[in-house]
C-alpha cells in the first residue's frame, strides 16, 4: 500500500498542479474550513486520548493550526514570488533571482504529545510550498490520529495528501521509500534513525527533537511571577511539552520563596485536590506513565508525588535536590515532575547546563540584564525566553527548532514555507552582447583576472 501511495504522489507531483499557487491556496482554505467545522470533534479526540483540557486543545492545537493556516493563506502568493537579487556585474547583461520551488513528495512523522498541531503545522507549510505529503501521526494518540485521517480524506485526494496510520513498522516502511523531504518530530533516539534513512537517498530533513531544558532563577528575579510562569509552562499538557522547563536551577537565597510560590500557584491552577481538576491532562501512554512513576521512586518530594493508575494521573510534583546521577536527571523528563536544584555561585551553573547536550529550550528569570545576557549568549540552545517559559513558540517570525541533539531546522510561519522549498538560483543572460574575458586564449585577460577578483569565481 505504501509503495502505491508513494507512486501516486510521484505521478501527481509530476502533473505540475501543485506549482500553481491558486491550487495550493484553494486546498489550504478547504483545510481551514474543515478544521473550523471539526474543532469540537478534534477537542473531543484529544480529551479521549489523554484528557487534554478543552482550553489547552483550543489554544495549543486547533487555534494554533488555524492561525498558521490563516497566515499561510494570506501570504502564500508573496512567499512564492521569485526574489530578484542584484545581478553580478561579471554576468552583464543579466537578471538574477531566487525561485522557491517545491521539493516533491514529503513525509511528515509526528508524535503524540501535541498530536494535532504537530501533524498539521508542518503540513500547512509543506502544501503552501507546493509539495505533496504523506503524514504519519502517532500510534499512541489514536483518537486524534483518526480525526486527522478523516479530515485529510475529506479535504484532499490521496495522491495529494494522505494520512497513513500505524506504529513503528509502518513508519519504517515509509522511511524505506525515497522522499524529497522528511520532517520528523519526536525523540532524539528516533530522530537518529530517521536521519540515517534519509541519508540513503540524500533526502534533506527537519528534525524536531528533544532536550533537557534548564530554567535558571537568580536572586534578583521577580519570584512570585517567575513561579507562576514556570508552573504554567511546566504543567500545561501535564508536562508533556518538548519546550517545558525540565529542571530549575535556583539561587539558594530565593529557593524557599520560589518553592512556596510554586506550590501556591499549582494549587491556584488546579485546586487542592488536583486529581479532580478538569484543567490538568493525563499521561498519554502507559509506557511513559510507568517511566515517570519509576523516576519518582526514592526522590525527595516537596509537593505532589501522587499518582493514579486508572487514568495515568501524575500530580504536579516538585522534587528537591535530586542526585545528578538519578534517572530523573539523566534525560528529558517529559511529564509533570519538576526537579529543583539550588546553586550558590553563578560559576556552578555551567556544570549542570553543560552536563547535557544542547537543549531545545532555555529559560532565565532575572532582573539583572548582564546576567540574562551572559547566559543567553554563552549557551547554545534551540530557543528560549527571559522571564517566561514556552512563549517564544507563539511568534511565527521566530523559527522554532533545536540545535545539535535537540534538532535540525526551524519552522512556523514563513519559516515553514522556506524549509519546504528549494531555493533555486537563476541567471538570465542577455544575448545582445557577449563580454569575451572568460574565453580562451586566456593570455588576453590574464592581467585582468587578479584585478577583477570575482570575475572567474564559480
Ligand atoms: P518518538 O520518537 O517515540 O515517536 C515519534 C514518531 O516516530 C511516531 O510517529 C512513531 O510512530 C515514530 N517512531 C517511533 N519509533 C520509531 C522507529 N524505531 N522507527 C521509525 N519511526 C519510529 O516520540 P514520541 O514519544 O511520540 O514523542 C515524544 C518525544 O518527542 C519527546 O522526546 C519530545 O521532546 C519530542 N518532541 C519534540 C518536539 C519538537 O518540536 N522538538 C515536539 C514534540 C515532541
Amino acid at each position: 500500500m505504501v509503495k502505491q501511495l508513494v507512486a501516486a504522489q510521484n505521478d501527481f507531483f509530476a502533473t505540475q498542479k501543485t506549482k500553481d499557487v491558486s491550487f495550493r491556496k484553494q486546498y489550504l482554505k478547504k483545510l481551514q474550513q474543515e478544521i473550523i467545522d471539526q474543532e469540537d470533534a478534534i477537542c473531543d479526540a484529544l480529551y479521549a486520548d489523554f484528557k487534554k483540557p478543552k482550553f489547552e486543545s483550543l489554544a495549543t492545537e486547533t487555534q494554533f493550526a488555524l492561525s498558521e493556516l490563516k497566515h499561510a493563506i494570506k501570504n502564500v502568493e508573496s512567499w512564492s514570488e521569485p526574489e530578484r537579487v542584484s545581478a553580478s556585474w561579471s554576468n552583464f547583461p543579466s537578471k538574477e533571482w531566487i525561485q522557491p520551488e517545491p521539493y516533491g513528495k514529503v513525509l511528515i512523522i509526528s508524535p503524540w504529545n501535541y498530536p494535532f498541531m504537530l501533524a498539521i503545522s508542518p503540513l500547512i507549510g509543506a502544501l503552501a510550498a507546493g509539495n505533496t505529503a504523506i503524514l504519519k501521526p502517532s500510534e499512541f494518540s489514536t483518537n486524534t490520529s483518526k480525526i486527522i485521517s478523516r479530515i485529510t480524506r475529506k479535504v484532499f485526494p490521496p495522491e495529494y495528501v494522505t494520512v497513513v496510520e500505524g506504529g513503528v513498522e509502518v513508519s519504517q516502511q515509509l522511511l524505506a521509500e525515497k522522499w524529497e523531504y522528511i520532517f520528523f518530530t519526536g525523540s532524539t533516539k528516533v530522530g537518529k534513525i530517521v536521519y540515517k534513512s534519509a541519508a540513503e537517498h540524500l533526502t534533506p530533513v527537519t528534525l524536531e527533537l528533544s532536550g533537557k531544558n534548564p530554567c535558571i532563577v537568580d536572586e534578583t528575579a521577580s519570584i512570585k511571577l517567575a513561579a507562576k510562569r514556570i508552573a504554567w509552562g511546566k504543567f500545561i499538557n501535564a508536562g508533556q511539552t518538548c519546550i517545558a522547563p525540565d529542571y530549575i536551577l535556583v539561587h539558594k537565597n530565593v529557593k524557599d520563596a520560589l518553592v512556596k510560590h510554586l506550590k501556591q500557584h499549582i494549587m491556584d491552577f488546579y485546586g487542592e485536590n488536583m486529581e479532580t481538576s478538569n484543567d490538568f491532562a493525563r499521561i498519554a501512554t502507559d509506557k511513559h506513565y510507568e517511566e515517570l512513576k519509576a523516576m519518582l521512586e526514592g526522590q525527595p518530594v516537596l509537593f505532589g508525588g501522587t499518582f493514579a493508575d486508572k487514568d495515568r494521573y501524575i500530580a504536579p510534583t516538585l522534587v528537591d535536590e535530586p542526585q545528578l546521577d538519578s534517572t530523573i536527571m539523566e534525560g528529558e523528563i517529559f511529564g509533570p515532575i519538576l526537579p529543583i536544584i539550588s546553586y550558590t555561585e553563578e560559576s556552578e551553573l555551567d556544570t549542570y547546563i553543560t552536563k547535557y547536550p544542547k537543549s531545545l529550550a532555555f529559560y532565565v528569570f532575572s532582573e539583572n540584564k548582564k546576567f540574562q545576557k551572559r547566559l543567553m549568549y554563552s549557551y547554545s540552545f534551540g530557543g528560549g525566553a527571559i522571564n517566561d517559559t514556552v512563549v517564544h513558540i507563539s511568534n511565527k517570525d521566530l523559527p522554532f527548532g533545536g540545535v545539535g541533539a535537540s534538532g535540525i531546522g526551524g519552522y512556523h510561519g514563513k519559516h515553514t514555507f522556506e524549509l519546504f522549498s528549494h531555493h533555486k538560483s537563476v541567471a538570465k543572460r542577455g544575448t545582445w552582447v557577449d563580454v569575451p574575458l572568460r574565453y580562451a586564449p586566456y593570455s588576453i585577460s590574464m592581467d585582468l583576472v587578479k584585478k577583477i577578483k570575482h570575475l572567474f569565481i564559480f
Side-chain angles (χ1 to χ4, degrees), residues 110-113 118 136 139 171 186-187 190 208-210 242 332:
S110 57
W112 47 261
N113 64 321
L118 291 173
K136 211 294 286 167
E139 65 276 32
S171 195
S187 59
V190 179
E208 296 286 336
L209 308 178
S210 51
C242 54
E332 179 194 34

Side-chain angles (χ1 to χ4, degrees), residues 251-455:
H251 194 280
K252 74 169 186 353
N253 291 350
V254 289
K255 179 183 166 190
D256 289 347
L258 182 74
V259 169
K260 181 184 101 182
H261 288 298
L262 278 169
K263 288 178 183 173
Q264 190 56 55
H265 287 305
I266 296 169
M267 287 190 291
D268 290 348
F269 293 168
Y270 309 116
E272 300 263 327
N273 186 359
M274 299 180 288
E275 198 178 340
T276 60
S277 168
N278 290 325
D279 297 329
F280 186 67
R282 296 301 186 255
I283 304 307
T285 77
D286 289 337
K287 180 172 169 282
H288 194 46
Y289 172 70
E290 292 303 331
E291 284 167 1
L292 289 167
K293 257 173 49 176
M295 273 184 206
L296 274 179
E297 267 168 34
Q299 291 292 350
V301 167
L302 279 169
F303 182 80
T306 54
F307 42 83
D309 292 351
K310 68 175 181 343
D311 63 350
R312 299 187 301 261
Y313 164 79
I314 295 195
T317 297
L318 306 178
V319 171
D320 194 22
E321 311 284 349
Q323 295 292 318
L324 276 191
D325 58 1
S326 62
T327 48
I328 214 169
M329 292 308 291
E330 233 170 48
E332 179 194 34
I333 295 170
F334 213 56
I337 302 172
L338 184 56
I340 298 171
I341 298 167
S342 55
Y343 71 91
T344 310
E345 299 295 334
E346 188 183 325
S347 57
E348 293 166 41
L349 295 174
D350 193 62
T351 315
Y352 297 101
I353 296 167
T354 56
K355 176 174 154 51
Y356 306 102
K358 293 174 182 178
S359 57
L360 184 61
F362 189 99
Y363 303 113
V364 180
F365 285 84
S366 172
E367 294 301 319
N368 177 343
K369 289 203 174 86
K370 286 192 177 149
F371 179 77
Q372 297 170 355
K373 194 169 173 186
R374 252 195 322 275
L375 288 178
M376 295 310 268
Y377 282 85
S378 303
Y379 295 102
S380 179
F381 50 87
I386 299 165
N387 291 326
D388 211 337
T389 61
V390 177
V391 292
H392 57 293
I393 197 176
S394 65
N395 184 343
K396 288 185 197 51
D397 293 334
L398 295 176
F400 178 80
V403 58
S406 58
I408 297 174
Y411 75 124
H412 288 165
K414 188 181 181 192
H415 301 289
T416 322
F417 175 91
E418 297 280 333
L419 171 149
F420 279 112
S421 301
H422 165 60
H423 298 275
K424 188 194 263 176
S425 298
V426 183
K428 182 181 175 186
R429 299 292 317 278
T431 51
W432 55 272
V433 61
D434 192 33
V435 182
L437 294 177
R438 63 182 155 150
Y439 302 116
Y442 296 134
S443 53
I444 300 167
S445 36
M446 192 64 85
D447 290 344
L448 277 174
V449 71
K450 283 189 182 168
K451 284 190 190 122
I452 310 168
K453 290 185 178 57
H454 60 281
L455 183 60

